[in-house]
Amino acid sequence: MNPNEILSRQDLLTDCERSMRYHQARSRFLNTAHLFIQFLVFAFASAGVSNLILNSLTSEATRWLWALIAVLALFSLVYNPAEKSALHRSLYRGFTILAGTIAATTEADTTTLAGWTKTIHALYAEEPPVYRALLAHCDNQVAIAMNADPGYFVDLSWYHRLLRNLWAFQGTEFLNRNQANEVSVRHA
């Protein structure tokens, strides 16, 4: 996307819709991961404390249990899914507010479109590195919601769908069906 290009109202709405879906999915995933890690730390710490009280596990098992608690707590501190979830919630709100403003305005002049384009670029600048398979999945959802031509759909493999929130797939190129057909025609 060219930062000097003024986007149309429909392009702005489409970009907002895709970004809202993306950030909502990332926020939910990270919040769930944070809560799951907290649950595991609490469960294992409770088991460790009860072991100290009841002395039912071997001392080797106790060391492994406390080591697991330390690793999980360290992972939570380093990766910090709660903070990342909050960032994605904030971006979701920003794109939602922008989409609402755009949708509420029926006639937009060039100055208004330029302002909205500037706002969407500012929101893009706040984004952390994108999980590309999740973005392709969100593109598919937007295409479905807009009754788009099936050529705009990206065919994701099972492992891209499974790992879309865990792996960024930065080196992977996700082509929609039209782009994939063009590439196959050129190479034939």
Side-chain angles (χ1 to χ4, degrees):
M1 183 182 310
N2 183 353
N4 297 324
E5 177 185 346
I6 296 175
L7 298 175
S8 70
R9 182 177 183 274
Q10 187 57 44
D11 288 343
L12 286 162
L13 284 171
T14 302
D15 285 357
C16 284
E17 180 70 24
R18 179 184 55 237
S19 294
M20 287 175 353
R21 289 174 187 263
Y22 174 84
H23 291 295
Q24 184 179 40
R26 284 298 292 156
S27 176
R28 285 180 178 171
F29 171 78
L30 291 165
N31 188 50
T32 301
H34 172 68
L35 292 175
F36 184 69
I37 291 167
Q38 282 184 324
F39 169 75
L40 288 178
V41 167
F42 178 75
F44 291 142
S46 297
V49 168
S50 67
N51 175 51
L52 291 175
I53 294 170
L54 301 174
N55 202 14
S56 61
L57 293 175
T58 66
S59 61
E60 184 69 22
T62 303
R63 280 195 289 274
W64 279 105
L65 186 62
W66 287 110
L68 181 62
I69 293 168
V71 166
L72 285 171
L74 183 64
F75 176 80
S76 185
L77 288 172
V78 170
Y79 188 65
N80 202 354
E83 181 182 327
K84 290 178 182 179
S85 177
L87 171 63
H88 285 286
R89 276 194 310 273
S90 172
L91 288 167
Y92 171 77
R93 279 191 301 276
F95 282 109
T96 303
I97 290 168
L98 179 60
T101 303
I102 294 168
T105 306
T106 54
E107 294 295 324
D109 59 359
T110 307
T111 307
T112 304
L113 289 172
W116 291 338
T117 301
K118 181 180 174 184
T119 303
I120 204 165
H121 284 295
L123 287 169
Y124 285 152
E126 292 179 38
E127 291 183 327
V130 173
Y131 281 67
R132 300 197 59 232
L134 178 60
L135 187 61
H137 173 78
C138 292
D139 282 338
N140 286 346
Q141 289 180 328
V142 171
I144 290 168
M146 298 181 130
N147 258 349
D149 173 23
Y152 289 110
F153 290 92
V154 177
D155 293 320
L156 294 171
S157 66
W158 65 270
Y159 59 89
H160 287 130
R161 288 190 306 270
L162 180 67
L163 300 174
R164 68 180 177 231
N165 267 301
L166 298 172
W167 195 261
F169 293 108
Q170 290 298 336
T172 307
E173 191 169 355
F174 293 100
L175 302 175
N176 64 34
R177 293 175 185 168
N178 292 337
Q179 294 167 328
N181 287 337
E182 288 176 18
V183 169
S184 64
V185 167
R186 273 187 273 175
H187 291 313

